[in-house]
Amino acid sequence: MNKNFKPQMIPYHIANLIVEDILDATDQEIMQEAISEYGKNVDKEVEKMKKLIEKSINRYKKDQLIEARRKYEEESNKSKNKVVSLTFERKKQILDEAYKMDNGLTLAARKGNATSEKDVDSMIDDLIELGVLDKDGNLL
């Protein structure tokens, strides 16, 4: 068996064969076949086919979007710092340790006792970006 064979590609290959067959036929041949199969009410069948094709295209696009979202979330989770999941008290301890180790940090940032958890998370993100902390909250 071909090691590049992917079962999920079977519908794609079948669709390609059908499309090739249709593209090779003339307009008259297609109309004659449609009339012989569906009678004089070909327009109704054409509308059904258009809707079926549109539905298939939309399903394919939705599947692509779901996969893109999954990949985005996966990548996003890789890059997120793990400090966010710690308790608020532990986050404040990490900030205190970072400020004690680095005298270049501003005095305003050091007085974070009354800061919200959102502010603490933001400061930790900043310290990670500056290379003071790693994504686990360890001093570098």
Side-chain angles (χ1 to χ4, degrees), residues 5-94:
F5 174 77
K6 296 178 182 175
Q8 65 269 26
M9 294 301 292
I10 291 174
Y12 173 79
H13 294 299
I14 292 171
N16 274 345
L17 291 173
I18 292 170
V19 169
E20 284 177 23
D21 189 43
I22 293 170
L23 290 175
D24 288 342
T26 67
D27 289 349
Q28 284 180 324
E29 290 172 329
I30 292 172
M31 284 305 290
Q32 285 174 348
E33 188 174 331
I35 290 170
S36 70
E37 194 162 326
Y38 303 110
K40 296 282 183 190
N41 201 1
V42 175
D43 291 339
K44 192 175 188 178
E45 291 302 317
V46 168
E47 284 305 311
K48 282 184 186 177
M49 291 302 292
K50 283 182 179 179
K51 287 180 182 177
L52 178 65
I53 291 168
E54 187 176 316
K55 186 177 178 181
S56 297
I57 289 170
N58 288 337
R59 182 69 228 164
Y60 176 74
K61 287 179 179 179
K62 282 181 185 178
D63 289 346
Q64 283 185 314
L65 181 60
I66 289 168
E67 180 63 14
R69 282 183 180 152
R70 185 195 64 75
K71 286 181 180 178
Y72 172 79
E73 287 297 321
E74 187 178 289
E75 286 301 313
S76 179
N77 288 336
K78 282 182 188 176
S79 64
K80 284 185 182 174
N81 71 57
K82 297 177 184 173
V83 182
V84 176
S85 62
L86 300 175
T87 66
F88 183 54
E89 290 305 314
R90 179 64 187 126
K91 291 175 192 178
K92 286 171 65 174
Q93 286 176 342
I94 291 170

Side-chain angles (χ1 to χ4, degrees), residues 100-116:
K100 286 176 187 170
M101 296 295 294
D102 190 339
N103 292 331
L105 298 174
T106 67
L107 183 61
R110 288 185 203 157
K111 294 187 178 183
N113 294 339
T115 14
S116 70

